[in-house]
Amino acid sequence: MIETDRIVIVGAGLGALYAALELAPRPVLMISPEKLGDGASSAWAQGGVAAAMADTDSPEAHARDTISAGAGTVDADVAAMVTRVAREHIVDLTELGTPFDRTSDGGYVMSREAAHSMARVVRVQGDQAGRQIMETLIAATRATPSVQVIEGVLASGLEAENGKVTGVWIESAEESTGSVLVRSPAILLAGGGSGGLFAHTTNPPRIRGQVIGMAARAGAVIGDPEFVQFHPTAFDIGEDPAPLATEALRGDGATLINKHGERFMLDVHPDAELAPRDIVARAIFAQTQVGNRPMLDTRDALGPEVLTRFPSVAETCARAGIDPVTEAIPVAVAAHYHMGGIDTDEAGRASLKNLWVCGEASSTGLHGANRLASNGLLEALVYARNAAEDIAAAVPVSEAVELTLSFPSGGQQVDLVALAELRQAMTTYVGIRRNGEGLRTALQIIARIEADQSSNPTFVNMTATATLIAAAALQRTESRGGHLREDFPDADPDQATRTRITLEEAMAIRAAAAKALI
């Protein structure tokens, strides 16, 4: 066991880095499974950051779009707060050196994405926003002496007593070891969402709900776990994770067609390709189900410009042997973003004392049942600062020595066969289309896998999050936003509320579901 005065940040994505900089000069220990930036979802984000930067736009309009996309469960006060401060975060990132695309007169180049009423997504080199913002923040973090970064380690659990978190268990991410308890005055969880729990995902390989699961196992309240956003346009080229074809392509005029060349979104929604993500995703999934091979067509809208304006897309196309100038890009639905997570207030505080959360691991009420495009990075920035300010008010500035970690022998690697079974069960039964029987089946499979893997805390963190998602989905007997129940296809006005659930409650639902299948 190690005692430290350092504030421990679990994760190394955009929220983690931004919070560490905000906390300076308070000493911070940041733990990252990989080299900074390599395994963070933030670095993979292509579209950009949503913010009302144009004279013709306003935070109020941004908030209205956020609430509309969220399908009835967005916290309006949170939406107002986040959109109101969005501009200052873009300016701060610019001052740190983020090379946002600019117009000849110095303004910001903005893209329009799904469910936005106007172009308000600030971008970098077309589809490089996440990578470029991360590079900027990593450079600033490396130059900040109060921040100690330890790479190649991961958190496997929280120590909590009487509703208060006192420490975090850490182990090697690179080899089988035992774990070490690090006790700290404050812990910030910024370790990503849970998209990797599904067999088809755009998330980095390590992002499989572990942070949400460890908080739930410690007793934290979880918010809206049933609401998982499936991105409509992941490349359908057989890669795991699936590369992303950014929504900005559709914002710039790219269309969705099937193998017959038909623009199928025209008959689905008045906004066609720019309809809310849940609607576009379901339409693409329906085309896939009947063998119509959905594709993203950039040929008329972008032509050769797609190669220079969207370098990540061009790189993926080249790897797959696709020429987007002359060919349409095959796409499929993939788990992309978890609207749910650890329930937090506007200061980023979880229900457990001494625990804060920011980024996709949190559930703030901003996204409701269906996240508005490019609000994810914005939420991470806003709540990283909010949490840092709240932690700073609770933890005085102090001197802290650098930590040296050594791990005892023992531990075990994640069973890849069991993990594959878990991911397939989540895709099959808890994916874009759900029903009661399938959700009960999923919970039964999760329980069996968990029992087999009970000695591995990392795996149990994953099954805890999977249980929460499936249990909350079973309890929500309606369809809303990213949650579609085939047996309850309509939205129920009486259920237009956020979910708040503990792991103990989810386990009870899981046990009842197993009995119902006997």
Side-chain angles (χ1 to χ4, degrees):
M1 192 266 289
I2 299 173
E3 295 269 5
T4 181
D5 289 331
R6 290 182 177 271
I7 297 156
V8 174
I9 298 180
V10 175
L14 181 143
L17 294 163
Y18 202 58
L21 294 173
E22 292 286 326
L23 283 164
R26 286 168 178 79
V28 164
L29 172 67
M30 181 183 297
I31 61 172
S32 173
E34 287 100 1
K35 184 178 178 181
L36 280 189
D38 284 357
S41 295
S42 309
W44 293 29
Q46 293 183 1
V49 185
M53 304 298 289
D55 292 339
T56 53
D57 200 0
S58 69
E60 292 76 18
H62 186 181
R64 284 195 298 272
D65 289 348
T66 297
I67 292 168
S68 177
T73 61
V74 170
D75 185 319
D77 290 337
V78 169
M81 180 273 292
V82 171
T83 56
R84 184 176 62 251
V85 301
R87 171 185 284 272
E88 67 185 62
H89 289 279
I90 298 300
V91 172
D92 288 349
L93 287 176
T94 303
E95 291 176 350
L96 279 171
T98 304
F100 289 114
D101 294 347
R102 308 298 287 268
T103 61
S104 58
D105 61 359
Y108 292 87
V109 174
M110 289 172 286
S111 298
R112 184 183 175 195
E113 295 187 358
H116 285 274
S117 56
M118 62 186 68
R120 67 162 64 91
V121 179
V122 183
R123 65 192 195 187
V124 184
Q125 296 173 30
D127 59 3
Q128 300 289 298
R131 183 181 303 174
Q132 292 293 332
I133 294 171
M134 284 290 289
E135 288 182 2
T136 300
L137 293 178
I138 288 169
T141 301
R142 297 265 190 219
T144 303
S146 60
V147 181
Q148 179 187 1
V149 180
I150 299 183
E151 298 170 333
V153 297
L154 57 83
S156 58
L158 296 175
E159 180 188 63
E161 299 175 0
N162 301 318
K164 178 180 178 180
V165 173
T166 54
V168 57
W169 291 94
I170 298 172
E171 61 187 52
S172 172
E174 299 169 347
E175 55 190 45
S176 296
T177 67
S179 56
V180 171
L181 176 63
V182 178
R183 285 195 170 141
S184 163
I187 294 170
L188 173 64
L189 300 180
S194 60
L197 284 174
F198 295 81
H200 303 292
T201 182
T202 63
N203 282 202
R206 286 192 190 272
I207 308 299
R208 291 181 175 139
Q210 298 95 319
V211 168
I212 297 169
M214 74 173 69
R217 291 175 61 209
V221 174
I222 305 302
D224 296 337
E226 70 270 39
F227 293 121
V228 177
Q229 187 170 75
F230 295 85
H231 200 287
T233 53
F235 275 82
D236 188 16
I237 55 175
E239 292 188 9
D240 180 25
L244 183 65
T246 174
E247 207 157 85
L249 292 163
R250 284 177 278 138
D252 282 358
T255 58
L256 289 165
I257 62 174
N258 59 26
K259 69 179 184 181
H260 305 296
E262 300 165 341
R263 272 189 71 188
F264 54 87
M265 284 304 302
L266 292 173
D267 296 328
V268 174
H269 193 276
D271 291 335
E273 284 82 7
L274 292 177
R277 277 186 178 174
D278 58 324
I279 294 171
V280 180
R282 286 172 195 159
I284 288 176
F285 185 76
Q287 293 288 319
T288 301
Q289 291 294 94
V290 297
N292 274 347
R293 194 78 196 276
M295 293 174 283
L296 183 66
D297 190 355
T298 67
R299 292 172 293 185
D300 291 341
L302 292 165
E305 287 187 15
V306 70
L307 301 176
T308 54
R309 289 175 57 189
F310 298 94
S312 289
V313 170
E315 180 183 330
T316 302
C317 284
R319 192 168 65 245
I322 298 168
D323 179 7
V325 179
T326 61
E327 301 173 89
I329 301 166
V331 292
V333 171
H336 180 60
Y337 189 93
H338 196 176
M339 278 79 77
I342 304 158
D343 191 51
T344 60
D345 66 12
E346 284 198 12
R349 293 190 213 97
S351 61
L352 300 174
K353 294 179 181 178
N354 286 4
L355 184 66
W356 289 260
V357 196
C358 69
E360 195 176 347
S362 68
S363 177
T364 66
L366 176 67
H367 304 309
N370 186 42
R371 177 181 67 115
L372 182 67
S374 289
N375 266 358
L377 292 183
L378 173 61
E379 181 195 51
L381 291 166
V382 172
Y383 277 84
R385 174 169 290 171
N386 288 1
E389 290 176 349
D390 200 57
I391 293 169
V395 179
V397 177
S398 64
E399 296 291 331
V401 298
E402 288 208 346
L403 274 66
T404 301
L405 298 179
S406 59
F407 299 103
S409 58
Q412 56 184 302
Q413 292 294 310
V414 168
D415 184 325
L416 296 182
V417 174
L419 177 60
E421 183 182 8
L422 174 64
R423 295 180 71 199
Q424 190 57 56
M426 292 296 287
T427 289
T428 301
Y429 302 113
V430 200
I432 194 165
R433 302 183 73 90
R434 301 163 173 176
N435 59 62
E437 182 180 0
L439 291 166
R440 292 184 186 93
T441 300
L443 287 165
Q444 188 177 55
I445 293 170
I446 294 165
R448 173 177 52 78
I449 295 173
E450 184 177 276
D452 291 341
Q453 304 297 321
S454 60
S455 62
N456 187 325
T458 296
F459 208 112
V460 176
N461 289 334
M462 292 189 281
T463 55
T465 302
T467 297
L468 285 155
I469 295 170
L474 182 59
Q475 290 295 95
R476 185 172 286 275
T477 52
E478 64 158 356
S479 292
R480 184 178 298 277
H483 169 70
L484 173 63
R485 283 286 296 264
E486 295 174 316
D487 44 352
F488 295 95
D490 299 320
D492 176 4
D494 291 338
Q495 297 187 54
T497 57
R498 295 186 61 205
T499 296
R500 287 183 172 85
I501 188 172
T502 64
L503 182 58
E504 182 180 9
E505 291 166 339
M507 295 289 276
I509 295 168
R510 189 174 84 177
K515 290 181 181 178
L517 289 173
I518 295 175

